[in-house]
Amino acid sequence: MRTYYETLGVSADAKTDEIRKNYRRLVKENHPDLHPGDKAAEERFKEIAEAWETLGDEEKRKKYDAEIAKVKKGEKPRYAAAHSAPTGGKVDIGAMMEQFSKMFTPEGVVSQSERTKAGSAPIDTDELFFRFMGLKK
């Protein structure tokens, strides 16, 4: 996992001025206008901007540092997606359906059969998921 601090080339205890200085330098070096057509530089530019958006704001930085501390303790971070590697093109439809279902059901009740038993299935979320994603069952 690469942290925002690593992205900006600073230590976790760096002052905001140092972070800002590195951010500006990296933005200039990786700006898409200086590297037309270079997708790697464009992605790096986006990563730098994302890191600055968090580390440049004291409140966001405090929350981010707390999440990093959780990861170091072995706990699951609240915003895991922001710090996880791509799956290499593999998609777990079952996991996606489960997350999608949670948006429409009481917490802890996930599967369609459990929702039906609990009497809390006003809609078939499995069908809704497939329609939303443009998939066929």
Side-chain angles (χ1 to χ4, degrees):
M1 175 179 86
R2 185 177 174 153
T3 67
Y4 288 155
Y5 294 104
E6 292 168 334
T7 298
L8 296 179
V10 296
S11 66
D13 61 348
K15 302 288 184 206
T16 304
D17 288 340
E18 181 184 353
I19 295 171
R20 181 183 300 115
K21 182 179 176 181
N22 272 24
Y23 161 73
R24 289 180 175 167
R25 178 182 57 79
L26 291 168
V27 164
K28 287 178 184 176
E29 290 174 6
N30 293 278
H31 198 282
D33 289 346
L34 297 176
H35 307 280
D38 184 346
K39 294 293 183 190
E42 185 177 331
E43 284 304 310
R44 177 96 171 107
F45 182 81
K46 289 176 184 178
E47 290 173 8
I48 293 163
E50 181 181 327
W52 170 249
E53 184 178 331
T54 298
L55 299 183
D57 179 297
E58 287 300 317
E59 287 301 312
K60 289 180 183 178
R61 183 177 178 185
K62 286 178 188 176
K63 289 177 184 178
Y64 179 77
D65 288 344
E67 292 297 317
I68 294 297
K70 284 182 183 180
V71 171
K72 288 181 181 176
K73 290 181 186 176
E75 296 176 31
K76 184 177 178 180
R78 183 173 178 187
Y79 303 107
H83 303 291
S84 62
T87 60
K90 296 180 183 175
V91 177
D92 183 351
I93 296 293
M96 287 176 63
M97 287 175 64
E98 182 178 318
Q99 292 300 317
F100 189 84
S101 295
K102 285 181 181 181
M103 294 187 300
F104 298 99
T105 59
E107 194 168 331
V109 180
V110 176
S111 74
Q112 186 68 35
S113 61
E114 288 174 330
R115 287 191 304 274
T116 304
K117 287 177 194 172
S120 60
I123 57 174
D124 180 356
T125 56
D126 292 348
E127 178 66 25
L128 183 62
F129 173 81
F130 279 94
R131 285 183 182 205
F132 180 77
M133 297 301 289
L135 302 171
K136 293 182 181 181
K137 277 189 174 181

